[in-house]
């Protein structure tokens, strides 16, 4: 990790073969001492072979960098040493910080709830309002796709019921006379949606 003034950076964690991290299906949590940084670099010094052809490469589904409970790496710019030759389709480097992970965040345990699915033909501009009860400080909203935790493999696509464009507004008055636009969501392709869509503002 480092800052614009510290371009060499400081190593805060290092893992090797003796740590027996591979093979794995669970995410790797790397703890580090509290630090201040404006960039994080993940560097591989020994690669793993791909199952289908034995060629060596580095593949990661997601990198999350936490400050408390906030993922500060979400939607931030990404640079890679390999250039842009494979930066296409599902392998775009920006997907490394899009917040979508290849495992279910919800388990079939604990309190369950029924998903909200609207009727068909509700007009061009449907809306819903959530009354928070009192004025609250807000900085992000999480949209959970419908019933993705009911079946494995998934019974419905991750974008089922997710609109192509969504505007989130906040207001302190119940009639929204003082509404402020907090964030907009645009779904341009199938890669723009997942089990949990995190919108920060």
């Amino acid at each position: 990790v480092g800052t614009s003034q510290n371009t060499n950076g400081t190593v805060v964690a290092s893992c090797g073969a003796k740590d027996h991290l591979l093979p794995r299906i669970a995410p790797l949590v790397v703890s580090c001492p509290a630090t201040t940084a404006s960039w994080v670099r993940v560097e591989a010094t020994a690669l793993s072979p791909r199952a289908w052809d034995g060629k060596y490469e580095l593949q990661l589904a997601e990198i999350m960098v936490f400050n408390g409970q906030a993922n500060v790496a979400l939607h931030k710019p990404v640079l890679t040493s390999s250039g842009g030759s494979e930066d296409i389709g599902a392998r775009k480097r920006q997907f490394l910080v899009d917040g979508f992970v290849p495992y279910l965040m919800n388990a079939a345990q604990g309190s369950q709830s029924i998903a909200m699915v609207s009727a068909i033909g509700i007009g061009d501009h449907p809306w819903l309002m959530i009354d928070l009860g009192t004025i609250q400080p807000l900085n992000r909203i999480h949209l959970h796709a419908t019933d993705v935790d009911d079946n494995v493999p998934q019974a419905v696509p991750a974008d089922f019921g997710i609109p192509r464009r969504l505007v989130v507004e906040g207001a302190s008055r119940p009639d929204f006379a003082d509404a402020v636009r907090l964030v907009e969501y645009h779904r341009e392709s199938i890669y723009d949606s997942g089990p949990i869509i995190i919108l920060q503002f």
Side-chain angles (χ1 to χ4, degrees):
V1 301
T3 64
S4 57
Q5 290 76 35
N6 178 16
T7 56
N8 289 329
T10 302
V11 175
V12 294
S14 179
C15 304
K18 61 179 175 43
D19 297 299
H20 303 292
L21 301 180
L22 299 175
R24 68 184 303 108
I25 58 173
L28 173 64
V29 178
V30 178
S31 298
C32 66
T35 187
T36 300
S38 62
W39 57 264
V40 173
R41 180 170 58 232
V42 177
E43 186 174 317
T45 55
L47 299 177
S48 300
R50 299 190 303 200
W52 62 90
D53 61 7
K55 292 183 179 180
Y56 290 85
E57 70 176 357
L58 172 64
Q59 285 191 326
L60 297 173
E62 188 76 12
I63 292 181
M64 298 179 177
V65 181
F66 286 95
N67 177 6
Q69 294 186 358
N71 175 15
V72 295
L74 189 67
H75 303 306
K76 293 298 190 291
V78 176
L79 297 175
T80 61
S81 60
S82 57
S85 60
E86 294 185 354
D87 194 34
I88 58 175
R91 298 179 184 274
K92 287 186 178 179
R93 69 190 70 183
Q94 203 55 39
F95 297 154
L96 191 64
V97 291
D98 62 3
F100 302 143
V101 291
Y103 50 85
L104 299 181
M105 298 295 288
N106 299 323
Q109 300 175 0
S111 300
Q112 302 295 306
S113 63
I114 303 300
M116 182 283 206
V117 179
S118 73
I120 297 175
I122 57 175
D124 295 333
H125 298 92
W127 58 271
L128 59 87
M129 184 178 74
I130 300 172
D131 185 352
L132 302 178
T134 61
I135 295 177
Q136 306 277 346
L138 308 175
N139 62 13
R140 69 181 187 253
I141 185 170
H142 295 197
L143 307 175
H144 291 247
T146 303
D147 294 335
V148 294
D149 60 339
D150 283 353
N151 300 281
V152 178
Q154 298 301 290
V156 296
D159 63 348
F160 176 74
I162 302 294
R164 293 196 173 275
R165 180 174 177 264
L166 181 72
V167 175
V168 179
E169 294 180 321
S172 58
R173 294 179 48 159
D175 62 358
F176 271 68
D178 60 346
V180 175
R181 181 167 296 191
L182 303 177
V183 66
E184 269 192 56
Y185 166 74
H186 293 273
R187 181 164 59 93
E188 305 292 346
S189 75
I190 60 173
Y191 304 118
D192 294 329
S193 61
I196 303 175
I197 301 171
I198 302 172
L199 304 176
Q200 294 186 146
F201 45 85

